[in-house]
Amino acid sequence: MKIRNIELSGEIKKSNIRSRGRFRFCLICLFLGFSLILLKITHLSILYNKNANPSVVHSHQAKNIIDHKRADIVDRNGELLATSLLSYDLFANPKLIKNEDKSILAKSISMILSDVSEKEIYKKLNINRSFVYLKRSITPKEFNAIVKLKEPEIFRLKRYKRHYPNQKLASHILGGVDIDNQGIRGIEKTFDKILKNKDFINQNKELQLSIDIRIQKILDDNLNETINKHHAQGGVGIILDIKKSEILAMNSLPQFNPNKIHKLSHKNEFNMATLGVYELGSIFKSLTIAMALDKNIVNEDTIYDATKPLKKGKYTIHDYKPQKRLLKISECILYSSNICFAQVGKDLGEKNIKEYLKKMKLSNKAEIEVPEIGNPLLPNIWRETNIMTFAYGHGIAISPLQFVNAFTSIINGGNFRYATLIKEKYLNDTTNNNYVISEQTSYRVRQLLREVVSNEKGSGDKADVPGYFVAGKTGTAIKNEHNRYKKNKNLTSFVGFFPSYNPDFLIFIAVDEPQPIKETFNYVTGGWVAAPTVRKIISEMAPKLGIMPNEKIEKNIENHVSLKRN
C-alpha cells in the first residue's frame, strides 16, 4: 500500500509559512538581546568592578603603573634629587552619569577641587566618552570628599608621579617629565630609557650624578643674591672639579620648579649655561694669551703699544681703563687691555686661531648629558677686524659650558676633556691625551691669571680669598642684539680657580645686564659684579669640601709673574 504525500494548499499552506517565519524571527531577537546583555555585562565588569572599592586599579591600569615608574636620581653623595611617588588621578565615565545630575555634580566637585572651575568640570562631564580625567594628582582629602557625593561613576586611578624634593635646585640639570612620566628635558630626557628600564628599577639601581646638592645651593643662593642686588635679568654659574672633569653645580637663572613643569615659561626654561651662546668679552683673553704663549708669539720681552686707541678702518678699539703707555704682556692681561689683545690677535693670525679653536672644541657643539646644547657662532670670513676683536672676546659667541671646557684645558696642564654630569665617568680613563697647549704654557698661564687676582691693580682683585690662592679673569661684554651692540647692556663675568699652583676647582659666574648701584660706584663690570660673587662662593664651598686655607704656602709662593722658561 503506497502512502502519498499530502500537499497543503490554499489558506492552510500560507498560515503554516507565516507561523514558521514568526518563530524564526523570535529566536533571532532573543539571541541578539541575550548577546547585547552579555556584552554589556562583560564591558561593565572589565571597566568598572561594581563590587570593588572605586579606588581599586584595574588590571590593565596596573600594568601602566609599573611601566610609568622611574628609577631615582641622586647626587654624588647619594642625596635624593628625583624619585617616583604614588599619586592618584580622578576620572569619570560621563556616558553613565545622568544628564540631569551633571550640573549639580559639576558645582559640587568644583567646590572640592578649588583649582578646577565648575565650567571646566561640566564640560568634561558632557564629553561623549567612557573615560575622562577630572583632575590629575588629587589629595586623599579631596578624594574622600568626592566619595561623599555618592556618584558611582567617578573613580580614582593610581599612578606614579615624579617628585623633586629640592624644588628649583638643579632644575636645568635634572629637567623634568610630562604628565605620563616621560622625560622631556635635561637628564630625565637623556636617560629616559635607562630610568624607565624595569631591570634597572627592580635591582634598585640609581642614576648618580656628579653634582653636590650642597654646593648647588651655595651657587644658587649667591648668584640669586647678586642678580637681585644688581637688578639683573639673569645669570649663569658653573662649578667644576678640575681633576675629575665633574660638574659639582650648574645653574641658569631664572630657574623653574620641575614639580610644576606645566607652568614653565619660555624665560625660565631656557638654559643659559648650555644652550645660550654669548660674546663673552675680556674673559676670552685668557684663551688668547694661552694660544700666543704656546706658539711663542709672545714671551717675557714682548711689549705692546697701548698709548692710544687703535684704529682699524671705521672701527676704533678702546681700553676700559687706558694706561696710555707701552705695556708688557703681563700688564696687558693685568689691566685687560683691548688695545694690546687686538695686536696679539693680529700676530696670532687666522691659521693659528682656527687650529686652537678646533683643539678647544669651540667650533662645534659641546658634549654634555643634557639635550639642551647650543651651536657656537663664528665668523664666516675671518677679516683682520674679526681676528683682532676675536682676541678680546667679540665676534665669536659660545656657551658658558664651552668656555669652561676650553678654559679648563689651559689651566690643568693643557689637556682637553668634556665636563660631565655623571659621577666617576672618567674613573678608568687613562687614554686621554687631547693636549691643547703644553704643560709649560699652562703653568705660565696660571701665573698670569694669579696676578690678575692677587695684584691690587688687577681687574679681578675682588675675587681673592686669603689662603686659597685664587686666580682668574674678568669679562665685561657689550651685548649684541640683532647685529647691533647695545652699550647700556652688558654680560659681566668672572672665571676663577684655586689653588692657582695646582688647580682643583673652577667657578664660572656670568650676570646678564646688571644695573649700576651705589655700592659698586655704578660700575657693572666683571670685576665689580661677578668677581665678588666668586669670592663668596669659594669662602662657603671650601669648608663644605673640607678644604682649609693654607697661609703657610701663601707666604712661601711668589705672587709676581715670570714668563721665563725653567
Side-chain angles (χ1 to χ4, degrees):
M1 178 179 176
K2 292 182 179 179
I3 300 176
R4 293 182 180 179
N5 291 326
I6 300 174
E7 294 184 4
L8 298 176
S9 62
E11 290 299 323
I12 298 174
K13 182 177 181 180
K14 290 179 181 179
S15 177
N16 186 47
I17 292 171
R18 282 197 298 268
S19 298
R20 282 183 290 178
R22 283 195 297 269
F23 180 71
R24 282 196 296 267
F25 178 74
C26 289
L27 284 176
I28 292 170
C29 289
L30 285 170
F31 177 77
L32 289 174
F34 179 77
S35 298
L36 287 172
I37 292 169
L38 185 62
L39 284 171
K40 188 66 176 178
I41 291 171
T42 305
H43 173 71
L44 292 174
S45 324
I46 293 172
L47 291 181
Y48 314 105
N49 187 348
K50 298 284 185 161
N51 296 320
N53 186 292
S55 64
V56 172
V57 180
H58 307 300
S59 59
H60 71 286
Q61 294 161 349
K63 179 179 182 296
N64 291 336
I65 289 174
I66 296 171
D67 289 345
H68 286 175
K69 188 175 182 181
R70 299 173 72 85
D72 289 347
I73 302 175
V74 297
D75 83 341
R76 66 185 305 105
N77 300 312
E79 292 294 322
L80 193 63
L81 301 177
T83 190
S84 295
L85 300 178
L86 277 174
S87 179
Y88 296 92
D89 297 334
L90 191 68
F91 71 96
N93 179 5
K95 283 189 173 183
L96 295 183
I97 298 175
K98 295 177 182 179
N99 289 331
E100 58 268 25
D101 295 340
K102 290 180 179 179
S103 179
I104 299 173
L105 188 59
K107 184 176 182 179
S108 300
I109 294 173
S110 68
M111 292 175 69
I112 298 169
L113 309 177
S114 57
D115 54 343
V116 186
S117 69
E118 178 183 345
K119 183 179 179 181
E120 185 180 351
I121 294 172
Y122 184 73
K123 183 180 178 181
K124 288 183 176 181
L125 292 178
N126 283 279
I127 294 175
N128 187 29
R129 293 181 192 167
S130 299
F131 183 101
V132 62
Y133 282 110
L134 297 181
K135 183 187 175 182
R136 288 294 186 91
S137 298
I138 63 166
T139 65
K141 183 179 178 180
E142 287 173 331
F143 183 69
N144 290 334
I146 294 290
V147 169
K148 291 178 182 179
L149 297 178
K150 297 181 180 179
E151 171 51 60
E153 301 306 328
I154 294 180
F155 304 89
R156 184 172 67 169
L157 174 65
K158 187 188 294 185
R159 70 179 172 92
Y160 280 106
K161 179 184 177 182
R162 204 59 161 161
H163 177 66
Y164 304 88
N166 296 293
Q167 307 294 317
K168 292 183 179 181
L169 277 182
S171 59
H172 283 288
I173 294 174
L174 295 170
V177 299
D178 62 16
I179 195 69
D180 295 315
N181 253 11
Q182 307 300 311
I184 57 173
R185 301 188 65 80
I187 288 287
E188 293 278 26
K189 183 175 182 179
T190 301
F191 294 93
D192 190 52
K193 289 184 179 179
I194 292 175
L195 292 168
K196 293 188 300 186
N197 184 276
K198 291 180 182 179
D199 293 335
F200 193 82
I201 295 169
N202 292 337
Q203 293 173 31
N204 293 319
K205 289 186 177 180
E206 302 166 327
L207 179 62
Q208 188 165 36
L209 304 188
S210 62
I211 68 170
D212 185 328
I213 200 63
R214 302 171 304 165
I215 308 304
Q216 183 72 41
K217 189 175 188 311
I218 290 171
L219 175 62
D220 278 29
D221 289 348
N222 283 283
L223 185 53
N224 261 312
E225 182 183 342
T226 299
I227 290 169
N228 293 331
K229 180 194 292 186
H230 293 273
H231 312 290
Q233 292 296 309
V236 184
I238 300 174
I239 299 178
L240 183 77
D241 182 320
I242 294 172
K243 290 183 171 61
K244 296 179 180 178
S245 300
E246 293 180 1
I247 293 174
L248 299 182
M250 180 171 72
N251 64 7
S252 171
L253 302 181
Q255 299 182 106
F256 60 92
N257 185 344
N259 293 310
K260 301 177 181 178
I261 201 163
H262 59 285
K263 296 182 179 180
L264 191 60
S265 68
H266 176 71
K267 184 176 182 180
N268 290 39
E269 76 172 342
F270 190 80
N271 190 341
M272 292 177 66
T274 62
L275 184 57
V277 294
Y278 311 94
E279 295 182 40
L280 294 175
S282 294
I283 200 171
F284 208 87
K285 291 170 184 171
S286 55
L287 304 184
T288 304
I289 196 67
M291 298 175 191
L293 286 169
D294 202 53
K295 284 293 183 182
N296 292 318
I297 289 169
V298 297
N299 57 38
E300 65 269 24
D301 299 318
T302 305
I303 294 175
Y304 284 101
D305 185 358
T307 56
K308 59 184 178 181
L310 184 63
K311 292 186 177 181
K312 182 63 182 175
K314 61 179 181 179
Y315 302 103
T316 302
I317 298 171
H318 302 270
D319 279 347
Y320 181 69
K321 287 185 177 181
Q323 299 300 304
K324 298 181 180 179
R325 61 181 176 85
L326 300 178
L327 297 176
K328 292 193 299 184
I329 195 65
S330 59
E331 294 176 307
C332 291
I333 197 160
L334 182 71
Y335 299 119
S336 197
S337 171
N338 292 340
I339 297 171
C340 288
F341 271 87
Q343 296 171 74
V344 174
K346 188 177 177 181
D347 290 344
L348 260 174
E350 179 183 349
K351 182 180 178 182
N352 287 330
I353 288 172
K354 286 185 174 179
E355 176 188 335
Y356 285 104
L357 285 176
K358 186 176 180 181
K359 285 182 177 180
M360 294 177 180
K361 313 295 188 212
L362 295 178
S363 52
N364 52 274
K365 290 172 67 172
E367 293 181 10
I368 188 72
E369 293 87 0
V370 295
E372 299 82 21
I373 305 173
N375 278 306
L377 301 176
L378 280 69
N380 293 321
I381 301 174
W382 287 83
R383 299 181 177 87
E384 192 171 63
T385 51
N386 297 116
I387 291 170
M388 294 169 77
T389 58
F390 159 86
Y392 56 85
H394 279 81
I396 175 174
I398 59 174
S399 70
L401 177 66
Q402 280 185 294
F403 175 79
V404 165
N405 285 334
F407 185 84
T408 302
S409 73
I410 68 170
I411 62 168
N412 69 357
N415 195 18
F416 183 91
R417 188 161 64 181
Y418 284 113
T420 181
L421 286 165
I422 303 301
K423 184 180 180 182
E424 298 182 346
K425 178 177 179 178
Y426 298 119
L427 181 63
N428 299 314
D429 182 14
T430 58
T431 60
N432 188 33
N433 56 358
N434 296 317
Y435 284 97
V436 174
I437 59 174
S438 71
E439 189 172 346
Q440 177 62 29
T441 300
S442 180
Y443 169 76
R444 297 161 81 188
V445 169
R446 293 198 301 271
Q447 285 185 307
L448 284 168
L449 297 181
R450 170 58 183 159
E451 186 77 359
V452 171
V453 176
S454 64
N455 192 317
E456 63 180 12
K457 294 181 180 179
S459 60
D461 65 317
K462 291 176 180 59
D464 202 19
V465 183
Y468 286 103
F469 248 78
V470 181
K473 182 70 188 77
T474 57
T476 307
I478 300 173
K479 290 182 70 174
N480 186 334
E481 295 181 357
H482 310 296
N483 294 320
R484 294 181 67 88
Y485 288 100
K486 305 289 185 178
K487 290 187 177 181
N488 61 335
K489 292 185 177 182
N490 294 327
L491 182 72
T492 64
S493 58
F494 183 82
V495 59
F497 60 95
F498 72 97
S500 61
Y501 54 85
N502 184 23
D504 285 320
F505 301 101
L506 175 152
I507 302 94
F508 172 92
I509 291 291
V511 181
D512 187 20
E513 295 184 28
Q515 301 303 306
I517 59 174
K518 288 183 180 180
E519 186 180 329
T520 62
F521 304 98
N522 293 324
Y523 289 119
V524 291
T525 61
W528 281 94
V529 178
T533 308
V534 170
R535 182 187 69 239
K536 290 179 183 178
I537 290 171
I538 293 173
S539 299
E540 291 181 35
M541 68 174 274
K544 289 279 186 186
L545 297 173
I547 305 168
M548 296 296 111
N550 198 326
E551 301 288 350
K552 186 176 180 181
I553 293 180
E554 181 79 47
K555 293 176 182 177
N556 292 337
I557 296 182
E558 293 180 345
N559 287 333
H560 72 276
V561 176
S562 172
L563 290 181
K564 293 181 179 179
R565 294 181 179 276
N566 292 338

mmCIF file of all heavy atoms in Angstrom, residues 449-454 460 463-472 494-500 534-535 538 554:
data_model
loop_
_atom_site.group_PDB
_atom_site.id
_atom_site.type_symbol
_atom_site.label_atom_id
_atom_site.label_comp_id
_atom_site.label_asym_id
_atom_site.label_seq_id
_atom_site.Cartn_x
_atom_site.Cartn_y
_atom_site.Cartn_z
ATOM 1 N N LEU A 449 97.277 84.555 35.434
ATOM 2 C CA LEU A 449 95.917 84.708 35.952
ATOM 3 C C LEU A 449 95.899 84.837 37.476
ATOM 4 O O LEU A 449 94.971 85.433 38.038
ATOM 5 C CB LEU A 449 95.053 83.524 35.494
ATOM 6 C CG LEU A 449 94.873 83.411 33.976
ATOM 7 C CD1 LEU A 449 93.991 82.220 33.623
ATOM 8 C CD2 LEU A 449 94.286 84.692 33.392
ATOM 9 N N ARG A 450 96.928 84.330 38.143
ATOM 10 C CA ARG A 450 97.032 84.561 39.589
ATOM 11 C C ARG A 450 97.299 86.044 39.847
ATOM 12 O O ARG A 450 96.740 86.633 40.771
ATOM 13 C CB ARG A 450 98.149 83.694 40.175
ATOM 14 C CG ARG A 450 98.524 84.018 41.619
ATOM 15 C CD ARG A 450 97.344 83.900 42.566
ATOM 16 N NE ARG A 450 97.714 84.283 43.924
ATOM 17 C CZ ARG A 450 96.870 84.664 44.853
ATOM 18 N NH1 ARG A 450 95.577 84.736 44.597
ATOM 19 N NH2 ARG A 450 97.297 85.003 46.058
ATOM 20 N N GLU A 451 98.101 86.643 39.005
ATOM 21 C CA GLU A 451 98.430 88.054 39.154
ATOM 22 C C GLU A 451 97.197 88.949 38.980
ATOM 23 O O GLU A 451 97.064 89.975 39.641
ATOM 24 C CB GLU A 451 99.511 88.439 38.135
ATOM 25 C CG GLU A 451 100.046 89.848 38.261
ATOM 26 C CD GLU A 451 101.035 90.037 39.399
ATOM 27 O OE1 GLU A 451 101.310 89.056 40.120
ATOM 28 O OE2 GLU A 451 101.517 91.161 39.581
ATOM 29 N N VAL A 452 96.281 88.549 38.111
ATOM 30 C CA VAL A 452 95.049 89.321 37.876
ATOM 31 C C VAL A 452 94.249 89.454 39.173
ATOM 32 O O VAL A 452 93.586 90.470 39.410
ATOM 33 C CB VAL A 452 94.182 88.642 36.792
ATOM 34 C CG1 VAL A 452 92.806 89.295 36.680
ATOM 35 C CG2 VAL A 452 94.882 88.689 35.440
ATOM 36 N N VAL A 453 94.333 88.442 40.035
ATOM 37 C CA VAL A 453 93.570 88.428 41.291
ATOM 38 C C VAL A 453 94.396 88.941 42.461
ATOM 39 O O VAL A 453 93.897 89.696 43.306
ATOM 40 C CB VAL A 453 93.045 87.006 41.595
ATOM 41 C CG1 VAL A 453 92.338 86.958 42.942
ATOM 42 C CG2 VAL A 453 92.103 86.544 40.489
ATOM 43 N N SER A 454 95.647 88.545 42.550
ATOM 44 C CA SER A 454 96.467 88.870 43.727
ATOM 45 C C SER A 454 96.976 90.305 43.721
ATOM 46 O O SER A 454 97.207 90.888 44.782
ATOM 47 C CB SER A 454 97.654 87.908 43.828
ATOM 48 O OG SER A 454 98.512 88.066 42.705
ATOM 49 N N GLY A 460 90.649 91.536 38.671
ATOM 50 C CA GLY A 460 89.944 90.501 39.429
ATOM 51 C C GLY A 460 90.304 90.445 40.896
ATOM 52 O O GLY A 460 90.088 89.425 41.554
ATOM 53 N N ALA A 463 88.082 88.996 43.804
ATOM 54 C CA ALA A 463 87.785 87.557 43.897
ATOM 55 C C ALA A 463 88.728 86.848 44.858
ATOM 56 O O ALA A 463 88.550 85.668 45.151
ATOM 57 C CB ALA A 463 87.879 86.911 42.513
ATOM 58 N N ASP A 464 89.716 87.567 45.366
ATOM 59 C CA ASP A 464 90.742 86.913 46.177
ATOM 60 C C ASP A 464 90.203 86.464 47.533
ATOM 61 O O ASP A 464 89.423 87.165 48.181
ATOM 62 C CB ASP A 464 91.916 87.867 46.390
ATOM 63 C CG ASP A 464 93.196 87.126 46.740
ATOM 64 O OD1 ASP A 464 93.262 85.906 46.468
ATOM 65 O OD2 ASP A 464 94.132 87.757 47.266
ATOM 66 N N VAL A 465 90.608 85.256 47.929
ATOM 67 C CA VAL A 465 90.266 84.701 49.244
ATOM 68 C C VAL A 465 91.579 84.266 49.893
ATOM 69 O O VAL A 465 92.229 83.348 49.395
ATOM 70 C CB VAL A 465 89.317 83.491 49.120
ATOM 71 C CG1 VAL A 465 88.919 82.994 50.505
ATOM 72 C CG2 VAL A 465 88.094 83.832 48.292
ATOM 73 N N PRO A 466 91.998 84.924 50.976
ATOM 74 C CA PRO A 466 93.290 84.609 51.604
ATOM 75 C C PRO A 466 93.444 83.112 51.908
ATOM 76 O O PRO A 466 92.545 82.479 52.449
ATOM 77 C CB PRO A 466 93.242 85.429 52.896
ATOM 78 C CG PRO A 466 92.339 86.579 52.580
ATOM 79 C CD PRO A 466 91.290 86.006 51.674
ATOM 80 N N GLY A 467 94.588 82.581 51.530
ATOM 81 C CA GLY A 467 94.898 81.192 51.830
ATOM 82 C C GLY A 467 94.424 80.188 50.794
ATOM 83 O O GLY A 467 94.738 78.999 50.885
ATOM 84 N N TYR A 468 93.675 80.660 49.770
ATOM 85 C CA TYR A 468 93.169 79.723 48.761
ATOM 86 C C TYR A 468 93.796 79.928 47.376
ATOM 87 O O TYR A 468 93.499 79.177 46.451
ATOM 88 C CB TYR A 468 91.642 79.829 48.660
ATOM 89 C CG TYR A 468 90.940 79.193 49.833
ATOM 90 C CD1 TYR A 468 90.409 79.974 50.850
ATOM 91 C CD2 TYR A 468 90.846 77.808 49.953
ATOM 92 C CE1 TYR A 468 89.780 79.397 51.947
ATOM 93 C CE2 TYR A 468 90.222 77.221 51.037
ATOM 94 C CZ TYR A 468 89.690 78.021 52.033
ATOM 95 O OH TYR A 468 89.070 77.448 53.113
ATOM 96 N N PHE A 469 94.627 80.947 47.246
ATOM 97 C CA PHE A 469 95.374 81.155 46.010
ATOM 98 C C PHE A 469 94.460 81.180 44.773
ATOM 99 O O PHE A 469 94.628 80.420 43.838
ATOM 100 C CB PHE A 469 96.429 80.061 45.840
ATOM 101 C CG PHE A 469 97.820 80.597 45.970
ATOM 102 C CD1 PHE A 469 98.343 80.861 47.215
ATOM 103 C CD2 PHE A 469 98.583 80.868 44.863
ATOM 104 C CE1 PHE A 469 99.621 81.366 47.359
ATOM 105 C CE2 PHE A 469 99.868 81.380 44.977
ATOM 106 C CZ PHE A 469 100.394 81.640 46.224
ATOM 107 N N VAL A 470 93.497 82.072 44.799
ATOM 108 C CA VAL A 470 92.543 82.195 43.686
ATOM 109 C C VAL A 470 93.206 82.892 42.504
ATOM 110 O O VAL A 470 93.927 83.874 42.667
ATOM 111 C CB VAL A 470 91.295 82.988 44.123
ATOM 112 C CG1 VAL A 470 90.294 83.079 42.971
ATOM 113 C CG2 VAL A 470 90.646 82.333 45.338
ATOM 114 N N ALA A 471 92.947 82.387 41.317
ATOM 115 C CA ALA A 471 93.398 83.014 40.073
ATOM 116 C C ALA A 471 92.193 83.108 39.143
ATOM 117 O O ALA A 471 91.185 82.418 39.342
ATOM 118 C CB ALA A 471 94.501 82.182 39.425
ATOM 119 N N GLY A 472 92.292 83.958 38.124
ATOM 120 C CA GLY A 472 91.152 84.039 37.210
ATOM 121 C C GLY A 472 91.196 85.225 36.283
ATOM 122 O O GLY A 472 92.205 85.935 36.189
ATOM 123 N N PHE A 494 83.149 86.367 35.475
ATOM 124 C CA PHE A 494 84.453 86.072 36.065
ATOM 125 C C PHE A 494 84.618 84.564 36.110
ATOM 126 O O PHE A 494 83.675 83.838 36.476
ATOM 127 C CB PHE A 494 84.588 86.634 37.484
ATOM 128 C CG PHE A 494 85.949 86.409 38.080
ATOM 129 C CD1 PHE A 494 87.006 87.251 37.778
ATOM 130 C CD2 PHE A 494 86.196 85.336 38.931
ATOM 131 C CE1 PHE A 494 88.273 87.043 38.314
ATOM 132 C CE2 PHE A 494 87.451 85.115 39.476
ATOM 133 C CZ PHE A 494 88.500 85.968 39.165
ATOM 134 N N VAL A 495 85.798 84.102 35.721
ATOM 135 C CA VAL A 495 86.131 82.686 35.866
ATOM 136 C C VAL A 495 87.309 82.600 36.817
ATOM 137 O O VAL A 495 88.328 83.267 36.624
ATOM 138 C CB VAL A 495 86.454 82.014 34.517
ATOM 139 C CG1 VAL A 495 87.630 82.666 33.800
ATOM 140 C CG2 VAL A 495 86.690 80.518 34.704
ATOM 141 N N GLY A 496 87.136 81.840 37.885
ATOM 142 C CA GLY A 496 88.196 81.703 38.868
ATOM 143 C C GLY A 496 88.513 80.245 39.139
ATOM 144 O O GLY A 496 87.693 79.355 38.887
ATOM 145 N N PHE A 497 89.721 79.996 39.647
ATOM 146 C CA PHE A 497 90.094 78.627 40.027
ATOM 147 C C PHE A 497 91.054 78.689 41.209
ATOM 148 O O PHE A 497 91.697 79.706 41.453
ATOM 149 C CB PHE A 497 90.708 77.868 38.851
ATOM 150 C CG PHE A 497 91.961 78.492 38.276
ATOM 151 C CD1 PHE A 497 93.227 78.073 38.682
ATOM 152 C CD2 PHE A 497 91.878 79.483 37.314
ATOM 153 C CE1 PHE A 497 94.378 78.637 38.148
ATOM 154 C CE2 PHE A 497 93.025 80.060 36.771
ATOM 155 C CZ PHE A 497 94.285 79.639 37.190
ATOM 156 N N PHE A 498 91.109 77.602 41.951
ATOM 157 C CA PHE A 498 92.013 77.556 43.108
ATOM 158 C C PHE A 498 92.372 76.109 43.420
ATOM 159 O O PHE A 498 91.600 75.201 43.096
ATOM 160 C CB PHE A 498 91.356 78.240 44.316
ATOM 161 C CG PHE A 498 90.225 77.466 44.944
ATOM 162 C CD1 PHE A 498 90.434 76.654 46.065
ATOM 163 C CD2 PHE A 498 88.932 77.541 44.419
ATOM 164 C CE1 PHE A 498 89.383 75.952 46.654
ATOM 165 C CE2 PHE A 498 87.875 76.849 45.010
ATOM 166 C CZ PHE A 498 88.106 76.053 46.126
ATOM 167 N N PRO A 499 93.553 75.889 44.052
ATOM 168 C CA PRO A 499 94.634 76.882 44.175
ATOM 169 C C PRO A 499 95.363 77.047 42.842
ATOM 170 O O PRO A 499 95.405 76.111 42.031
ATOM 171 C CB PRO A 499 95.545 76.257 45.226
ATOM 172 C CG PRO A 499 95.332 74.776 45.091
ATOM 173 C CD PRO A 499 93.898 74.603 44.691
ATOM 174 N N SER A 500 95.899 78.201 42.609
ATOM 175 C CA SER A 500 96.479 78.510 41.292
ATOM 176 C C SER A 500 97.669 77.622 40.959
ATOM 177 O O SER A 500 97.922 77.334 39.788
ATOM 178 C CB SER A 500 96.904 79.978 41.234
ATOM 179 O OG SER A 500 97.892 80.247 42.217
ATOM 180 N N VAL A 534 82.187 85.184 43.131
ATOM 181 C CA VAL A 534 83.082 84.025 43.160
ATOM 182 C C VAL A 534 83.795 83.949 44.505
ATOM 183 O O VAL A 534 83.967 82.858 45.067
ATOM 184 C CB VAL A 534 84.093 84.086 41.997
ATOM 185 C CG1 VAL A 534 85.178 83.025 42.152
ATOM 186 C CG2 VAL A 534 83.382 83.915 40.660
ATOM 187 N N ARG A 535 84.212 85.091 45.033
ATOM 188 C CA ARG A 535 84.869 85.096 46.348
ATOM 189 C C ARG A 535 83.954 84.513 47.426
ATOM 190 O O ARG A 535 84.381 83.680 48.233
ATOM 191 C CB ARG A 535 85.258 86.529 46.720
ATOM 192 C CG ARG A 535 85.996 86.603 48.065
ATOM 193 C CD ARG A 535 86.243 88.033 48.530
ATOM 194 N NE ARG A 535 84.995 88.687 48.910
ATOM 195 C CZ ARG A 535 84.533 89.798 48.343
ATOM 196 N NH1 ARG A 535 85.210 90.377 47.357
ATOM 197 N NH2 ARG A 535 83.385 90.326 48.739
ATOM 198 N N ILE A 538 83.567 80.634 46.955
ATOM 199 C CA ILE A 538 84.751 79.895 47.409
ATOM 200 C C ILE A 538 84.806 79.860 48.930
ATOM 201 O O ILE A 538 85.096 78.817 49.541
ATOM 202 C CB ILE A 538 86.038 80.515 46.824
ATOM 203 C CG1 ILE A 538 86.077 80.311 45.305
ATOM 204 C CG2 ILE A 538 87.282 79.898 47.479
ATOM 205 C CD1 ILE A 538 87.223 81.025 44.615
ATOM 206 N N GLU A 554 100.853 80.249 51.149
ATOM 207 C CA GLU A 554 100.596 81.586 50.620
ATOM 208 C C GLU A 554 101.831 82.473 50.773
ATOM 209 O O GLU A 554 102.176 83.243 49.888
ATOM 210 C CB GLU A 554 99.415 82.202 51.368
ATOM 211 C CG GLU A 554 99.016 83.587 50.925
ATOM 212 C CD GLU A 554 98.203 83.582 49.656
ATOM 213 O OE1 GLU A 554 97.257 82.788 49.559
ATOM 214 O OE2 GLU A 554 98.535 84.365 48.751
#
